[in-house]
Amino acid sequence: MMMMLRQTTRKACLGLRASPLGLGRRLYHENVIDHFENPRNVGSFNRNDPDVGTGLVGAPSCGDLMSLQIKVDDSGQIIDTRFKTFGCGSAIASSSVASEWIKGKTIEESLTIKNAEIAKHLRLPPVKLHCSMLAEDAIKSAVRDYKEKRAKANAAAEEETVEA
Amino acid sequence: MASKVISSTIRRALSKPHGAVSRRHHLSTVAAAAAADTSTAYEDESILMKGVRISGRPLYLDMQATTPIDPRVFDAMNDSGINEYGNPHSRTHLYGWEAENAVEVARIQVAKLIGASPKEIIFMSGATEANNTAVKGVMHFYRDTKKHVITTQTEHKCVLDSCRHLQQEGFEVTYLPVKTDGLVDLEMLREAIRPDTGLVSIMAVNNEIGVIQPMEEIGMICKEHNVPFHTDAAQAIGKIPVDVKKWNIALMSMSGHKIYGPKGVGALFVRRRPRIRLEPLMNGGGQERGLRSGTASTQQILGFGAACELAMREMEYDEKWIKGLQERLLNGVREKLDGVVVNGSMESRYSGNLNLSFAYVEGESLLMGLKEVAVSSGSACTSASLEPSYVLRALGVDEDMAHTSIRFGIGRFTTKEEIDKAVELTVRQVVKLREMSPLYEMVKEGIDIKNIQWSQH
């Protein structure tokens, strides 16, 4: 009787048998597929534009490289984003989701996006969580770059007014 | 109470179909679906599996992983399953004698393919068992005098794991590095051999990159130093001419399902003159010269033998056909794309294996986009760790290129249309991913990506 119970549970678990690559149940959630097939905001801005912040994170040796660019208006709101990613399907989807979510937010609000939210939206398995981490890092890096640019521009403008 | 649990589990198990693939076997491949009227065909013939919808069964271009059973082999096997079902080791009645006869016929077929005597063929459950038996069996037999094993860094996992097991038992193992074209450096091999070297194990054709090692030269070196030479020839037999005498082989592992035979069967060639001794892994009734006890699987062995005979007859024709397809694939891709690198030597290579790296594109994302072509990749994301394939790393491929490789496997039944469709899909996907790739953008702008300091995370 116990054998029968064991056999039925084993059969019910057949869908969860480990794939030959040892990754356990490997399923791309439809959100990941959607972002992969139809990525939003692919492309790039001119990184020298004063209202563009560029974040570049990751390393090709890890197999993941993300470039996220934000266009910010004077009131500190992100009006447009572009991204480019070298990485697996989950990395591309994570960066596409990130670029979508921060559009329309202020730069302070965009810093509150957590990698856990991206991972939950895409149902990322544990082995792919670093992709969502990278997306969060990309947002922070882009915002930091923009702030540095603004600080430098303000400093240069102050110098000019002082000289004049 | 327990019966309620059982009945509810049974109900759940029966109501949930596994994998959501209907039992209707879709025989239409993507090529056929493309040729047919796509508007109506899509709804009827499409397959939804693992969240991905494809218009038909994918093109099969993964021949190094396994091959479909040749219909002629299938016929031979089916016949035997119904008629010759006796245990080949039953000595007392007709059923046993018939089955034994069938196994002996298969043995002769296998032996002829590799230039050996039938008495030197031991049937096993596959090349993995043969590799295990060869590596561990030889070293255990000579454990008092021989403590050292030489192998390469690009061997199949089962050989490397057996060597690791031996290391835990106290043996010493030298893992020879390979040159950038994947071939073993003969001088390094010569220097690595010691007086207490018990075995040299080097595979004939690599499963991942397809390079053919210089077997005759290695055999000569081993003969000079009187060291047994074992080779994993699972990817080699039936595809390139194999002669155990010319190569001075002491042990050779063979696999059924790489040459259009059934899975679950293989063989080990164990030389008799001069005799190589080994300890068996399977103890029991002493079948197969005492080296592999257990009832021989007549049906599968028959299939293996038939596959070997077919391979011998058709080797030349297959080679011409496959070489033509390989050139078609490579030229087709190179015409439309730049930054395509072939991993491994182009000259000393089995033509059915084409391992390509597409610069600036990551392997797993390419595979995800190539869902209508069944290929495999040596990329980190497709292994359980984040490490790229150890074979590509041994080749000294740059780390970012190691993440981008795709292995195309071409075989006897691959058609020109399949290759053309694969070229079209690959080119389309690589172009799309390169548009998304910051590396490609940087290269196009003229930035030298090798000199950038990346911020690791």
Side-chain angles (χ1 to χ4, degrees):
Chain A
M1 193 190 73
M2 283 314 291
M3 257 233 313
M4 228 172 67
L5 178 61
R6 224 180 302 141
Q7 274 182 14
T8 42
T9 40
R10 198 169 352 130
K11 282 215 184 89
C13 294
L14 254 182
L16 295 171
R17 70 170 181 268
S19 82
L21 303 167
L23 278 174
R25 187 157 166 230
R26 179 123 168 263
L27 208 88
Y28 284 122
H29 190 258
E30 53 189 23
N31 287 347
V32 176
I33 310 264
D34 178 35
H35 277 275
F36 179 77
E37 297 288 321
N38 314 302
R40 340 282 201 237
N41 312 315
V42 173
S44 52
F45 298 131
N46 184 346
R47 53 177 57 222
N48 298 321
D49 275 351
D51 53 353
V52 167
T54 307
L56 186 65
V57 292
S61 50
C62 295
D64 274 324
L65 184 65
M66 281 186 201
S67 152
L68 182 65
Q69 290 182 304
I70 51 176
K71 197 174 257 202
V72 188
D73 67 8
D74 295 322
S75 69
Q77 205 187 28
I78 299 175
I79 48 178
D80 206 3
T81 57
R82 290 279 185 274
F83 84 94
K84 282 203 176 196
T85 299
F86 166 86
C88 62
S90 304
I92 293 177
S94 300
S95 39
S96 172
V97 162
S99 76
E100 212 176 57
W101 283 1
I102 61 178
K103 233 193 233 184
K105 290 200 161 63
T106 66
I107 48 181
E108 297 309 326
E109 279 173 357
S110 72
L111 288 177
T112 63
I113 293 184
K114 288 266 155 284
N115 67 304
E117 295 165 6
I118 302 178
K120 187 155 163 225
H121 178 74
L122 295 173
R123 314 281 195 280
L124 292 181
V127 66
K128 294 290 186 195
L129 284 180
H130 69 283
C131 296
S132 59
M133 274 252 50
L134 201 59
E136 187 190 323
D137 284 348
I139 300 175
K140 296 203 160 65
S141 170
V143 165
R144 199 177 337 133
D145 179 66
Y146 175 73
K147 284 189 175 159
E148 278 174 9
K149 244 193 204 168
R150 286 291 292 222
K152 251 192 256 166
N154 287 344
E158 274 179 22
E159 269 186 29
E160 269 184 33
T161 47
V162 163
E163 278 177 24
Chain B
M1 208 323 252
S3 60
K4 267 224 177 97
V5 173
I6 293 173
S7 53
S8 66
T9 356
I10 296 175
R11 208 177 316 124
R12 230 178 306 131
L14 290 176
S15 60
K16 196 168 30 171
H18 313 301
V21 178
S22 74
R23 291 308 269 171
R24 261 185 310 142
H25 282 289
H26 302 271
L27 294 176
S28 62
T29 62
V30 169
D37 173 24
T38 45
S39 50
T40 48
Y42 195 78
E43 286 312 311
D44 301 329
E45 302 290 320
S46 69
I47 302 177
L48 178 67
M49 195 159 174
K50 293 203 178 204
V52 175
R53 181 176 287 278
I54 46 182
S55 58
R57 291 181 71 81
L59 310 173
Y60 190 72
L61 285 179
D62 200 11
M63 294 292 175
Q64 277 70 41
T66 188
T67 52
I69 299 188
D70 190 314
R72 298 164 284 186
V73 168
F74 187 68
D75 286 340
M77 281 173 66
N78 260 7
D79 239 357
S80 104
I82 296 176
N83 298 323
E84 287 147 354
Y85 58 81
N87 186 322
H89 313 294
S90 299
R91 301 202 161 262
T92 56
H93 49 68
L94 180 72
Y95 297 96
W97 304 333
E98 271 181 350
E100 189 187 22
N101 222 27
V103 169
E104 291 313 309
V105 164
R107 211 185 290 274
I108 296 174
Q109 288 168 324
V110 175
K112 270 223 273 250
L113 181 62
I114 61 173
S117 144
K119 297 198 189 133
E120 297 169 315
I121 306 289
I122 312 288
F123 286 115
M124 303 218 154
S125 67
T128 299
E129 189 188 335
N131 281 332
N132 268 264
T133 307
V135 172
K136 290 192 241 172
V138 168
M139 293 315 290
H140 286 165
F141 190 87
Y142 294 109
R143 75 174 80 208
D144 297 325
T145 46
K146 305 287 186 187
K147 290 274 192 257
H148 181 225
V149 178
I150 298 178
T151 184
T152 65
Q153 287 174 356
T154 52
E155 287 298 304
H156 192 265
K157 258 296 165 69
C158 58
V159 172
L160 291 179
D161 211 49
S162 305
C163 290
R164 200 166 311 136
H165 181 91
L166 287 178
Q167 272 180 304
Q168 281 174 346
E169 290 180 353
F171 292 88
E172 285 170 38
V173 181
T174 301
Y175 299 95
L176 287 177
V178 293
K179 302 184 280 198
T180 49
D181 59 0
L183 300 177
V184 162
D185 187 336
L186 297 168
E187 279 317 307
M188 292 195 78
L189 171 62
R190 219 184 276 272
E191 284 164 28
I193 295 183
R194 304 185 334 205
D196 67 342
T197 300
L199 188 71
V200 166
S201 176
I202 297 181
M203 70 197 319
V205 174
N206 188 291
N207 55 317
E208 211 170 305
I209 50 182
V211 295
I212 305 177
Q213 300 290 349
M215 299 301 283
E216 247 187 272
E217 288 83 347
I218 300 175
M220 263 195 312
I221 296 177
C222 291
K223 192 167 183 171
E224 268 172 43
H225 298 263
N226 206 11
V227 177
F229 179 22
H230 164 250
T231 179
D232 177 0
Q235 299 281 352
I237 54 162
K239 302 184 173 150
I240 58 171
V242 171
D243 187 337
V244 291
K245 292 201 183 49
K246 211 159 63 149
W247 292 356
N248 189 42
I249 307 264
L251 296 144
M252 177 188 278
S253 310
M254 297 171 261
S255 169
H257 70 107
K258 304 280 165 47
I259 53 168
Y260 313 96
K263 296 180 186 46
V265 68
L268 180 65
F269 159 76
V270 182
R271 187 181 61 194
R272 286 182 78 224
R273 288 201 200 100
R275 197 179 215 103
I276 180 92
R277 317 274 318 259
L278 43 88
E279 256 183 35
L281 275 186
M282 289 291 186
N283 300 110
Q287 285 80 19
E288 299 289 312
R289 276 172 59 200
L291 295 175
R292 209 284 184 175
S293 301
T295 300
S297 168
T298 320
Q299 194 175 9
Q300 284 178 311
I301 288 174
L302 220 96
F304 185 26
C308 286
E309 179 164 332
L310 280 172
M312 198 163 75
R313 272 208 321 248
E314 307 195 342
M315 203 187 315
E316 209 186 304
Y317 177 81
D318 281 349
E319 172 64 28
K320 268 203 296 236
W321 177 247
I322 292 173
K323 184 103 182 87
L325 288 181
Q326 185 208 43
E327 281 168 2
R328 202 183 173 103
L329 178 56
L330 192 53
N331 294 338
V333 168
R334 279 215 162 120
E335 258 171 35
K336 312 248 176 61
L337 295 173
D338 60 337
V340 176
V341 173
V342 178
N343 293 315
S345 154
M346 215 34 219
E347 297 80 33
S348 181
R349 166 182 222 101
Y350 169 56
S351 40
N353 181 323
L354 194 58
N355 191 309
L356 296 178
S357 273
F358 299 95
Y360 324 120
V361 168
E362 206 265 342
E364 206 226 0
S365 55
L366 185 53
L367 274 188
M368 202 168 145
L370 281 181
K371 52 195 190 269
E372 297 186 334
V373 184
V375 286
S376 94
S377 149
S379 136
C381 289
T382 58
S383 71
S385 76
L386 290 177
E387 299 271 321
S389 138
Y390 63 90
V391 171
L392 289 178
R393 252 189 319 147
L395 287 183
V397 166
D398 278 338
E399 282 189 320
D400 55 340
M401 288 295 272
H403 285 286
T404 73
S405 77
I406 300 283
R407 176 185 74 184
F408 293 93
I410 307 171
R412 188 185 286 168
F413 301 118
T414 316
T415 62
K416 290 203 184 99
E417 291 83 9
E418 287 180 332
I419 296 287
D420 290 338
K421 185 80 182 163
V423 166
E424 183 196 317
L425 290 172
T426 309
V427 166
R428 195 191 312 163
Q429 200 58 30
V430 169
V431 164
K432 175 172 164 215
L433 285 169
R434 276 187 174 164
E435 267 170 35
M436 270 203 264
S437 167
L439 286 177
Y440 194 58
E441 192 185 28
M442 286 187 223
V443 162
K444 284 287 169 212
E445 285 174 6
I447 304 176
D448 181 5
I449 52 180
K450 295 222 189 296
N451 286 333
I452 304 186
Q453 290 283 48
W454 302 108
S455 63
Q456 306 277 11
H457 68 285

